[in-house]
């Protein structure tokens, strides 16, 4: 499937503006797992591939899964291996050591778990407490954080720790903030996209600094579990 021009622009906004906002989360998880040479990682919903690049920078072998064709195309431009769907269960010696699923649905998680070796790590992450997150409250349209512990239990995984990471979303100006936030998909359900864009720009003005930059503090929570 060839991405539409609009989808390509949105994907580029994600890659060029928004994707880096989650670097503190990715790095904290990789530090916790001690990701390094010889590790094989599978990144679910990897976007344009930045989490894969960070893992590769540590010497790991990283493969992504991304359903959106525009984001997948950008990841492949970065010479990354990105699949349309999770791979079938590989031989034991080729199974993945870790699955990174930063905001998965139960179905997506279940489809990817067969590719992870027994004892391998599964990392789930989502927004932290509502009172500590600015972005989901903007326009009142952000999703409630998923119950990651319940997701771990439902998937039959063994809990193995958790953590919280400060991930501020900082933008050069309101226009960049609007483009970046719209690329997240948080506001896709708006009946009138043009009106949503206007309302979002207005809602961001209280978060402008004197130099015009926009600063949106957020806390993300991650959970580590193990495949039984």
């Amino acid at each position: 499937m060839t991405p539409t021009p609009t989808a390509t622009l949105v994907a580029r906004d994600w890659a060029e503006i928004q994707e880096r906002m989650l670097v503190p989360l990715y790095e904290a998880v990789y530090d916790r797992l001690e990701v390094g040479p010889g590790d094989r990682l599978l990144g679910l919903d990897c976007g344009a591939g930045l989490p894969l690049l960070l893992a590769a920078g540590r010497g790991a072998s990283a493969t992504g899964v991304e359903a959106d064709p525009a984001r997948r195309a950008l990841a492949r431009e970065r010479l990354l291996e990105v699949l349309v769907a999770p791979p079938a269960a590989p031989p034991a010696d080729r199974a993945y050591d870790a699955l990174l699923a930063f905001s998965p649905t139960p179905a997506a998680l279940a489809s990817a778990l067969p590719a992870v070796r027994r004892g391998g790590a599964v990392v789930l992450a989502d927004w932290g407490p509502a009172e500590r997150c600015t972005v989901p409250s903007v326009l009142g349209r952000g999703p409630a954080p998923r119950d990651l512990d319940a997701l771990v239990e439902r998937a039959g995984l063994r809990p193995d720790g958790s953590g919280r990471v400060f991930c501020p979303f900082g933008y050069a100006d309101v226009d960049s903030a609007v483009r970046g936030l719209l690329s997240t998909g948080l506001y896709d359900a708006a009946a009138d996209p043009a009106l949503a864009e206007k309302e979002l720009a207005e809602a961001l003005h209280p978060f402008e600094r004197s130099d015009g930059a926009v600063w949106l503090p957020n806390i993300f929570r991650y959970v580590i579990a193990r495949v039984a």
Side-chain angles (χ1 to χ4, degrees), residues 7 22 29 35 40 62 82 105 121 123 161 163 188 201:
L22 296 178
V29 167
V35 170
R40 301 187 72 244
V82 181
T105 63
V123 182
D188 285 355

Side-chain angles (χ1 to χ4, degrees), residues 42 44 86-87 89-90 99 106 108-117 121-122 155-157 227:
L42 181 65
L44 195 61
L99 170 66
L109 178 60
S111 68
L113 284 178
V116 185
R117 66 172 175 81
V122 177
L157 301 170
V227 176

Side-chain angles (χ1 to χ4, degrees), residues 24 26-27 33 36 44 47 50 53 82 88 92 105 112 139-140 152 165 167 173 180-181 192 194 203 213 218 225:
Y26 302 144
E27 295 287 18
L33 295 179
L44 195 61
L50 182 57
L53 289 174
V82 181
T105 63
L139 293 188
V152 165
V165 183
C167 287
D173 50 38
L181 291 172
D192 185 340
N218 302 287

Side-chain angles (χ1 to χ4, degrees), residues 48-194:
L50 182 57
L52 307 182
L53 289 174
L54 295 174
R58 292 169 175 251
S61 173
T63 299
V65 177
E66 178 54 58
D68 180 76
R71 295 191 185 194
R72 189 169 63 247
L74 290 178
R76 288 174 175 170
E77 285 180 10
R78 292 170 164 174
L79 304 182
L80 297 168
E81 181 185 9
V82 181
L83 311 174
V84 177
D93 62 344
R94 297 297 296 165
Y96 291 92
D97 301 298
L99 170 66
L100 311 176
F102 287 113
S103 192
T105 63
L109 178 60
S111 68
L113 284 178
V116 185
R117 66 172 175 81
R118 185 174 183 179
V122 177
V123 182
L124 312 177
D126 213 319
W127 300 100
E131 66 274 11
R132 302 289 303 280
C133 293
T134 306
V135 170
S137 65
V138 173
L139 293 188
R141 290 178 182 162
R146 288 185 174 89
D147 186 338
L148 300 178
D149 300 296
L151 193 55
V152 165
E153 182 178 3
R154 186 185 308 176
L157 301 170
R158 175 171 55 85
D160 192 31
S162 64
R164 292 183 178 184
V165 183
F166 181 52
C167 287
F169 289 9
Y171 307 91
D173 50 38
V174 170
D175 179 66
S176 295
V178 169
R179 289 168 54 202
L181 291 172
L182 289 177
S183 76
T184 66
L186 289 175
Y187 309 99
D188 285 355
D192 185 340

